[in-house]
Amino acid sequence: MTVFYDKDADLELIKRKKVAIIGYGSQGHAHANNLKESGVDVVVGLRTGSGSAAKAERAGLQVAPIEDAVAAADLVMLLTPDEHQVDVYQNQIEPNLPNGATVGFAHGFNIHYQLIEPRPDVNIVMIAPKGPGHLVRSTYESGRGVPSLIAVYQDAAGQAKDLSLAYAVAIGAGRAGVIETSFQAETETDLFGEQSVLCGGMMSLIQAGYETLVEAGYEPEMAYFECLHEVKLIVDLIYEGGIANMRYSISNTAEYGDITRGKRLVNEDTRAEMRNILEEIQSGSFAREFIAEHQSGSPMLKAGRRRAADSQIEQVGEKLRGMMPWIAADRVVDQSRN
């Protein structure tokens, strides 16, 4: 595996291009602002009436309708949600895309599952930061960066890899490391990590641990601290130096409980279900399920959001976080700006 850094890229390559960032959500705002501050000519393409236009303009960015932004661009980075990308690409990007232009993605979903079938005359690339957009922005501002993957699906006009690497460096990824991969590998590993560990697995484990303590008669506040609040403290230690570093820092009691009890929770039945989840991703059945959910109005997603908002753990957490004003002062996500 080869890891690329700032020194390996020709930043002038991306500086000579007009870049259109389509969307101004978590990833969109980060890419647009980081590129601008790296000296890249950037325009943000938004639908008419988008509530994000004012945020982008306050950040000093040029804003244009999607069609106009695409028509003037050498590189178009599509950063709208996965479920909206097919419609945006077919109706607003492709009809206005100059010959020989480059279209970039931060996730391989729609290309890998062939929901978007690009014209043969354009480059199709991926620059995928390995972290949420809000961290891509905040780490860049602090002089650091989030590692990124790059991939080339179609190199019709040439320099696709070099351009991808230059783009990754311009958003700060070259400070941490850039790895070349494929659309398939990025898509399948990303979905699996989200579903089985980072989001689905971890959130379900936190919720189940909290509910187990509360149902046993313990105070909700105690359950919140033990099963949610301290997760960050543990993850920070793992992030800093791996699992061994975390175990070095915790007590012998905690380490013994980790080694002897963790495997009772994540056992062979859990691993079998992980393999089932991976097979659904590899076969495309999850992608079809997700698109069907969107096309039906996202009833499961909306119901899940309502349940989460009304849950006791969220209400208790809001109260306890209010006791620690530095959390809000240092927050990465500020919905009024990003």
Side-chain angles (χ1 to χ4, degrees):
M1 179 186 72
T2 303
V3 182
F4 302 100
Y5 296 97
D6 285 349
K7 63 180 176 59
D8 301 308
D10 178 7
L11 193 58
E12 293 302 315
L13 189 60
I14 191 70
K15 286 184 177 182
R16 292 194 293 267
K17 305 294 184 182
K18 178 76 171 183
V19 177
I21 300 296
I22 309 303
Y24 198 72
S26 177
Q27 288 290 342
H29 94 279
H31 288 229
N33 283 283
N34 292 7
L35 287 168
K36 178 173 72 74
E37 292 173 18
S38 290
V40 179
D41 185 8
V42 180
V43 58
V44 177
L46 297 172
R47 59 177 172 77
T48 302
S50 170
S52 297
K55 297 179 184 179
E57 289 169 348
R58 283 198 299 270
L61 290 159
Q62 178 189 355
V63 178
I66 293 174
E67 296 86 349
D68 295 344
V70 170
D74 302 298
L75 188 155
V76 177
M77 190 69 175
L78 182 49
L79 295 174
T80 59
D82 289 332
E83 64 270 27
H84 298 305
Q85 287 187 3
V86 173
D87 180 66
V88 172
Y89 185 86
Q90 291 178 346
N91 296 307
Q92 294 171 288
I93 293 179
E94 189 167 62
N96 300 287
L97 192 63
N99 290 339
T102 299
V103 181
F105 297 82
H107 180 35
F109 187 93
N110 282 291
I111 293 293
H112 174 55
Y113 292 118
Q114 299 181 324
L115 300 169
I116 290 176
E117 298 185 9
R119 290 188 339 224
D121 64 289
V122 295
N123 291 333
I124 300 294
V125 303
M126 178 173 59
I127 305 96
K130 290 292 90 187
H134 296 97
L135 290 178
V136 174
R137 179 60 181 151
S138 64
T139 55
Y140 179 94
E141 291 179 296
S142 66
R144 295 171 291 159
V146 170
S148 181
L149 304 178
I150 59 170
V152 176
Y153 180 80
Q154 193 165 278
D155 189 4
Q159 290 190 306
K161 177 181 173 180
D162 291 341
L163 188 58
S164 303
L165 182 56
Y167 184 108
V169 164
I171 62 171
R175 301 168 180 173
V178 179
I179 298 172
E180 187 175 11
T181 185
S182 67
F183 272 69
Q184 176 183 358
E186 186 279 334
T187 301
E188 294 176 356
T189 57
D190 187 74
L191 292 176
F192 178 80
E194 291 169 349
Q195 294 173 26
S196 66
V197 181
L198 302 176
C199 303
M202 186 180 296
M203 297 313 107
S204 294
L205 186 64
I206 289 170
Q207 188 77 42
Y210 174 87
E211 292 172 355
T212 298
L213 287 177
V214 172
E215 289 166 4
Y218 296 98
E219 293 293 332
E221 292 80 5
M222 294 288 292
Y224 180 89
F225 278 125
E226 295 299 335
C227 297
L228 190 153
H229 179 80
E230 290 192 41
V231 168
K232 172 177 167 46
L233 310 180
I234 295 298
V235 169
D236 282 350
L237 292 169
I238 298 172
Y239 175 86
E240 175 187 274
I243 293 172
N245 185 70
M246 178 273 291
R247 286 176 171 163
Y248 177 82
S249 179
I250 62 179
S251 69
N252 291 339
T253 314
E255 184 181 8
Y256 180 78
D258 162 9
I259 292 170
T260 61
R261 266 54 177 182
K263 63 185 69 174
R264 288 166 54 179
L265 293 170
V266 180
N267 52 31
E268 186 51 41
D269 289 340
T270 312
R271 291 174 181 269
E273 196 55 46
M274 284 183 170
R275 289 190 287 270
N276 290 337
I277 288 171
L278 180 57
E279 193 280 327
E280 292 168 359
I281 292 167
Q282 292 170 328
S283 69
S285 66
F286 169 77
R288 292 189 292 272
E289 176 188 328
F290 175 67
I291 294 302
E293 161 79 0
H294 168 64
Q295 292 173 340
S296 64
S298 302
M300 292 182 64
L301 188 58
K302 291 175 180 176
R305 288 170 178 168
R306 286 194 298 270
R307 286 193 301 271
D310 294 339
S311 66
Q312 185 188 62
I313 193 171
E314 286 291 277
Q315 295 164 11
V316 170
E318 184 176 4
K319 179 180 70 174
L320 293 179
R321 289 190 297 273
M323 297 164 46
M324 297 170 279
W326 55 86
I327 293 179
D330 296 335
R331 66 187 306 148
V332 172
V333 180
D334 180 350
Q335 295 185 20
S336 68
R337 294 188 302 109
N338 53 33

